[in-house]
Amino acid sequence: MTSSEEEQAVPAPEVAEAPPEPAAEPIGEQAGDPVEAPLPPSSRQRVLFVVAAVLLAPVALLLGAFGAARFLAPPPDAGHAYVLHIALPPAGGTLGLPPVQGPLDASRPLVVIDPGHGGHDPGAPGVDDKGHPLREKDITLALALALRDKLLAGGGVRVALTRDTDRYLMLEERSGIARQLKADLFVSIHADSSEAADASGATLYTLSDRGSSQEASRIAARENRADTVSGVPLAGTSTAVSAILVDLSQRHAGAQSTRFAELALREGKGRFDFRARPLQSAAFVVLKSPDVPSVLFEAGYISNDKDSARLASPEGREAFADATAQAIRVYFARESGVAAVQ
């Protein structure tokens, strides 16, 4: 072995590797605490985007609403297109009174026909002979229209309806229309109802004495006694005098109401059935007009099969219209002292 070979055979001394230096602990943290890895750039961008969206969303909504308002607003010179013109009656005039039909001569007698109920007030329920549901408000309107048409066809009488469509009126409005129109007669049409299935027949109501006296006291006690009863103004009179005037007017109107009710009963007999006591009195609100003769006509029981079938049929409406129209004509003829209204 040569010296060069000996040098090659001698193994090189092993050098021990230095142990890895411990990682420096983060400043301000205790040894052994977990170390959060920094978020990658993409995650930080997402967080910033969410925060910005939350903060800027209300601002964007406000700007959008403002821009929409400016965009949708009409130009300054087009404001007239959004103006609503309402024609008002002259001072002291009346608003919402129904038209008066018939002769143009204002001296002709005027009857105001009031179909009971209407609008959201259906009145009493019932069924016809085929089992179809009936509502009192529909029955009363159909009877009122038939009576109006019969009176207009005969001529000589002016007619107004408190309602000619399905709309609601307060009770005081109904009699108030008759007073404002200075009607000569007020007829309110209804259909009765009872839990007793055998209850049937028509009924005519006038204002009771108790209801009359209560209404006289109420009118006289108003703070503003500006009403006119039977053409006599109550303004400036004492409460006691006003009560006397109203009571006298109501007594006169009550006597006239009774006379018409008797005529309506006479003309209706033989055409349709009445109750055993067909003429009655009650304190109905619609009858409390102090100077207009007023009658409430219950044309029959909508809860009775026979009556409801009659009230819902064209023949039944015709019979009611014929009898009541004839009673109205005879009543006006007698009150005016002439032979007939024509």
Side-chain angles (χ1 to χ4, degrees):
M1 177 180 301
T2 61
S3 58
S4 61
E5 292 177 349
E6 291 179 357
E7 290 174 0
Q8 293 177 359
V10 176
E14 296 182 359
V15 179
E17 295 183 357
E21 296 182 0
E25 296 182 358
I27 300 175
E29 298 184 1
Q30 299 295 328
D33 291 343
V35 179
E36 296 182 359
L39 293 173
S42 58
S43 299
R44 286 199 300 269
Q45 291 175 355
R46 285 196 295 270
V47 171
L48 291 175
F49 177 78
V50 171
V51 172
V54 171
L55 294 177
L56 295 178
V59 178
L61 290 174
L62 290 175
L63 292 176
F66 178 75
R70 289 184 61 85
F71 176 77
L72 297 176
D77 58 347
H80 63 277
Y82 295 86
V83 177
L84 179 63
H85 296 277
I86 301 176
L88 297 176
T94 56
L95 183 64
L97 290 178
V100 176
Q101 298 175 281
L104 298 178
D105 184 0
S107 65
R108 294 289 185 170
L110 169 63
V111 57
V112 172
I113 304 172
D114 172 45
H117 306 280
H120 67 264
D121 176 17
V127 292
D128 62 11
D129 54 350
K130 297 180 181 179
H132 299 148
L134 295 175
R135 298 179 299 184
E136 183 181 357
K137 68 174 184 178
D138 301 325
I139 293 292
T140 59
L141 181 57
L143 291 173
L145 292 173
L147 176 57
R148 179 201 63 182
D149 294 343
K150 182 66 65 174
L151 288 169
L152 293 178
V157 177
R158 296 182 298 144
V159 184
L161 268 65
T162 57
R163 69 178 182 95
D164 56 6
T165 59
D166 184 16
R167 71 187 187 100
Y168 174 77
L169 288 170
M170 296 181 64
L171 297 176
E172 293 81 0
E173 289 182 281
R174 299 171 185 270
S175 57
I177 289 173
R179 290 200 67 204
Q180 292 183 66
L181 290 176
K182 302 186 186 310
D184 300 289
L185 181 64
F186 175 78
V187 180
S188 185
I189 302 174
H190 288 257
D192 218 334
S193 179
S194 174
E195 294 182 358
D198 58 346
S200 65
T203 313
L204 289 150
Y205 286 92
T206 56
L207 183 64
S208 67
D209 292 337
R210 180 180 179 183
S212 175
S213 61
Q214 288 178 340
E215 184 67 7
S217 299
R218 185 188 68 82
I219 293 176
R222 286 177 181 170
E223 294 182 4
N224 180 17
R225 290 186 300 274
D227 284 321
T228 299
V229 177
S230 296
V232 179
L234 299 183
T237 62
S238 66
T239 299
V241 173
S242 296
I244 292 173
L245 292 174
V246 172
D247 184 64
L248 289 174
S249 177
Q250 282 189 319
R251 288 181 184 276
H252 179 64
Q256 292 176 305
S257 302
T258 300
R259 289 196 290 270
F260 170 73
E262 291 172 347
L263 285 171
L265 174 61
R266 187 192 75 178
E267 296 296 332
K269 279 186 174 180
R271 299 173 188 258
F272 46 89
D273 295 333
F274 284 84
R275 291 175 59 184
R277 291 181 54 215
L279 299 178
Q280 300 194 33
S281 61
F284 288 109
V285 174
V286 294
L287 300 180
K288 293 184 178 181
S289 176
D291 50 2
V292 179
S294 304
V295 170
L296 189 145
F297 203 151
E298 295 278 7
Y301 278 79
I302 196 173
S303 56
N304 179 270
D305 292 340
K306 181 180 177 181
D307 278 7
S308 63
R310 169 176 62 84
L311 295 171
S313 67
E315 297 78 14
R317 290 193 294 268
E318 184 72 12
F320 173 84
D322 283 341
T324 310
Q326 181 62 18
I328 291 173
R329 291 185 178 281
V330 174
Y331 167 79
F332 283 147
R334 288 185 177 182
E335 293 299 314
S336 62
V338 298
V341 177
Q342 56 184 354

